[in-house]
Amino acid sequence: MRLFIAIRLSDDMRQALLAAQDALRKRGVRGNYTKPENLHLTLAFIGEYPDADGVLDVLDAVPLRPFELKLEGVGAFGDLWWIGLEKSEALNGYVRALRHALAEAGIPFDGKRFSPHITLLRRADTGGRPMPGLAIPPVGMTVRRAALMRSDRGKDGMIYTEIG
C-alpha cells in the first residue's frame, strides 16, 4: 500500500482552491490539476508500507489539539504549483511530534523538511509566460484530526482513500 498522512480540507477551503484553479485555467495555464476530492495537506509521506494498522496506532498515540489553518500565498517547486498556508506553530509542532513517533515506531517516511502547501497542479505549462499572480482569499479552517490515506493509480489519475 502507498500511504501518507494528511489533513483533509474543509468545503470552504476546497472551494477557494478550486476557484484558484479556475483562475489559472482562464489564464491559459495547462497541466495536471489536482482533482477536488484529492486536495489535501500532506503531513508525512510514507510510501509503500504494508502495515496500515501500525501507522493508525501512531496517529492514535500522537495527540492533536485543534488548531487553525489559513491559506496564504502561492508558489512552485519547478512545474508543481501550490498554495501555501499561514505560518502555524501548532501545525509545525504536530508534524514534528508525528514524524518523531513514526520514526520511533520504525515506520519509514520521506524526511524532507516540512513545507506546508496544497498542490494545485503538476506539470504546469504557461506557454512560456511567467507564473500569473493569484489573489488568495484568507480562507481558514479548524483542524481537528489527521487521516491516514492510501494512494492508488486509477485510469483517470490518482485515487486517495482514507483508511480506518
Side-chain angles (χ1 to χ4, degrees):
M1 286 183 286
R2 188 173 177 190
L3 302 174
F4 62 96
I5 298 171
I7 293 172
R8 305 202 63 193
L9 305 177
S10 69
D11 289 339
D12 287 345
M13 192 170 280
R14 186 176 293 105
Q15 289 305 314
L17 295 164
L18 293 174
Q21 287 180 329
D22 286 343
L24 290 172
R25 283 186 185 100
K26 286 177 183 167
R27 292 179 181 155
V29 177
R30 295 180 307 274
N32 293 341
Y33 284 85
T34 304
K35 295 187 287 187
E37 62 272 18
N38 285 355
L39 291 165
H40 68 277
L41 171 61
T42 300
L43 305 179
F45 180 76
I46 296 165
E48 293 295 330
Y49 190 71
D51 183 14
D53 288 337
V55 180
L56 287 169
D57 289 344
V58 169
L59 268 176
D60 288 342
V62 179
L64 188 153
R65 291 178 191 84
F67 59 87
E68 297 298 313
L69 287 183
K70 191 180 289 184
L71 298 177
E72 180 181 84
V74 296
F77 303 128
D79 64 357
L80 183 147
W81 291 9
W82 47 263
I83 290 185
L85 296 160
E86 190 174 82
K87 204 169 199 159
S88 167
E89 188 48 46
L91 170 62
N92 291 333
Y94 178 72
V95 170
R96 275 192 305 274
L98 179 63
R99 289 176 171 203
H100 178 77
L102 288 168
E104 289 286 313
I107 298 170
F109 61 92
D110 184 344
K112 286 183 201 150
R113 185 176 71 82
F114 180 60
S115 178
H117 67 279
I118 301 165
T119 300
L120 289 179
L121 75 154
R122 291 174 171 77
R123 289 190 241 114
D125 178 3
T126 62
R129 296 179 311 277
M131 180 183 196
L134 283 176
I136 305 302
V139 174
M141 65 176 272
T142 302
V143 175
R144 299 188 193 292
R145 62 184 291 272
L148 177 59
M149 305 295 291
R150 186 178 81 215
S151 172
D152 297 296
R153 189 167 303 283
K155 66 180 176 106
D156 295 321
M158 299 309 287
I159 300 167
Y160 300 153
T161 307
E162 185 171 346
I163 298 176

